[in-house]
Amino acid sequence: MTTYVVGDIQGCFDPFQCLLERVNFDPAKDVIWSVGDLINRGPANLETLRWFFAHRDRAVVVLGNHDLHLMAVAAGARKMSKSDNFGDILQAPDRDSLLAWLRQQPLAHHDQGVTLVHAGIPPMWSIKQTLRYAKEVETVLQGPNYKAFFDAMYGNEPVVWSDKLGGMTRLRVITNYLTRMRYCTKKGKLDLINKGPKPKTDALKGKKVAPWFSHEERRAAADTIIFGHWASLEGVTDSPNAIALDTGCVWGNKMTMLDLDARTLHRCRCK
């Protein structure tokens, strides 16, 4: 059995199939992990989601911001934006089964000494804390009050974690760290404005920000973390323990897959 980890697919089904063929993926014995953002903006969202649903016994998916947005739109908590193109999923006859399965997926996964998240882990959280906080969101998301969560999910505030936070405010900041974070301060203040490989604006009014994985004293620095979300990094972190797999397939670059056992990377070009 081999475990493979794929970067953000975002509905780019053909490059994903190219990668599966390249590594000779065998669903009878191999396992596929996804860093999330299965859908949105690519040409084959429904096909991608159906593939993971069909192979759900051999797949681990952590939720990304686009996956959460799809579910929020389906729940009536948000309208589709001009850049969203997952209407094929919303109109599909099997949408309820697909979305019910998606809602059961975690925000963080830990196995084989590796932690899988969509965006990252803030400097002040350990792996144990990350899994515990993710579970708080998962419990509400998978329960009867999930629509209330989607109603409260959007927003950049609060910009920093406090264990004193409660209710939906607490769940929002946990979700922002795990599914939207790129830059933050060493104490975890979030800069949700900058998206490039280097910060360009003074988003936090004089506070110095850096990529979440570059803070020297972050609690999970010795742990291997695999993430996506940040296409402009092009897979480069300069950190052996922070493995970035979003290489911008949906923007016409490449899709990346990691052989977790051999620690080798495979890539297919994207149109």
Side-chain angles (χ1 to χ4, degrees):
M1 183 190 84
T2 303
T3 299
Y4 297 99
V5 194
V6 64
D8 300 40
I9 298 174
Q10 292 193 241
C12 298
F13 188 70
D14 288 347
F16 173 54
Q17 292 301 297
C18 169
L19 284 170
L20 294 177
E21 292 173 7
R22 183 160 296 179
V23 301
N24 295 314
F25 180 79
D26 183 353
K29 62 179 182 179
D30 296 331
V31 175
I32 184 79
W33 290 6
S34 164
V35 298
D37 277 3
L38 294 178
I39 52 84
N40 209 11
R41 298 179 179 168
N45 298 300
L46 180 58
E47 197 170 7
T48 301
L49 191 56
R50 281 176 171 167
W51 188 94
F52 276 88
F53 181 74
H55 296 84
R56 59 193 179 276
D57 292 338
R58 308 300 298 173
V60 171
V61 176
V62 293
L63 295 172
N65 52 303
H66 285 288
D67 308 314
L68 289 168
H69 179 57
L70 163 67
M71 292 186 281
V73 171
R78 199 78 165 184
K79 293 183 179 180
M80 289 180 65
S81 70
K82 292 181 179 180
S83 61
D84 295 332
N85 70 335
F86 46 68
D88 55 345
I89 297 174
L90 299 177
Q91 297 166 11
D94 52 345
R95 63 164 267 171
D96 290 344
S97 296
L98 295 172
L99 292 172
W101 168 78
L102 191 62
R103 192 161 54 83
Q104 298 302 310
Q105 304 317 301
L107 270 73
H109 174 75
H110 182 79
D111 191 22
Q112 302 182 47
V114 172
T115 304
L116 184 72
V117 291
H118 179 62
I121 295 176
M124 63 287 185
W125 289 1
S126 65
I127 299 299
K128 185 176 181 180
Q129 287 174 314
T130 299
L131 296 171
R132 186 169 76 243
Y133 297 145
K135 189 66 177 179
E136 293 182 30
V137 179
E138 293 159 12
T139 299
V140 175
L141 188 59
Q142 296 166 11
N145 294 325
Y146 69 91
K147 290 184 179 180
F149 168 74
F150 288 133
D151 285 332
M153 180 180 70
Y154 293 88
N156 294 349
E157 300 288 336
V159 297
V160 68
W161 172 253
S162 170
D163 203 39
K164 295 179 181 179
L165 292 171
M168 293 298 177
T169 300
R170 179 183 177 95
L171 300 186
R172 185 190 310 118
V173 73
I174 294 171
T175 303
N176 282 345
Y177 279 126
L178 296 179
T179 69
R180 297 180 61 204
M181 177 177 60
R182 293 182 179 94
Y183 292 100
C184 65
T185 68
K186 63 181 180 180
K187 293 185 178 180
K189 272 195 173 183
L190 282 165
D191 168 5
L192 294 172
I193 305 300
N194 280 295
K195 297 182 179 181
K198 293 182 180 180
K200 294 182 179 180
T201 62
D202 187 12
L204 295 181
K205 297 180 180 179
K207 297 289 185 180
K208 184 179 179 181
V209 299
W212 64 266
F213 53 80
S214 68
H215 291 287
E216 294 181 358
E217 297 181 4
R218 63 186 179 93
R219 296 192 64 187
D223 301 282
T224 300
I225 300 167
I226 302 176
F227 68 102
H229 184 60
W230 201 341
S232 65
L233 291 178
E234 298 181 348
V236 178
T237 65
D238 295 324
S239 172
N241 293 333
I243 302 173
L245 292 185
D246 183 3
T247 44
C249 179
V250 77
W251 306 114
N253 296 320
K254 296 179 180 180
M255 187 177 294
T256 298
M257 180 177 284
L258 170 71
D259 179 328
L260 187 59
D261 304 313
R263 297 297 173 97
T264 54
L265 294 170
H266 304 270
R267 293 190 171 97
C268 281
R269 292 189 176 276
C270 305
K271 295 182 180 180

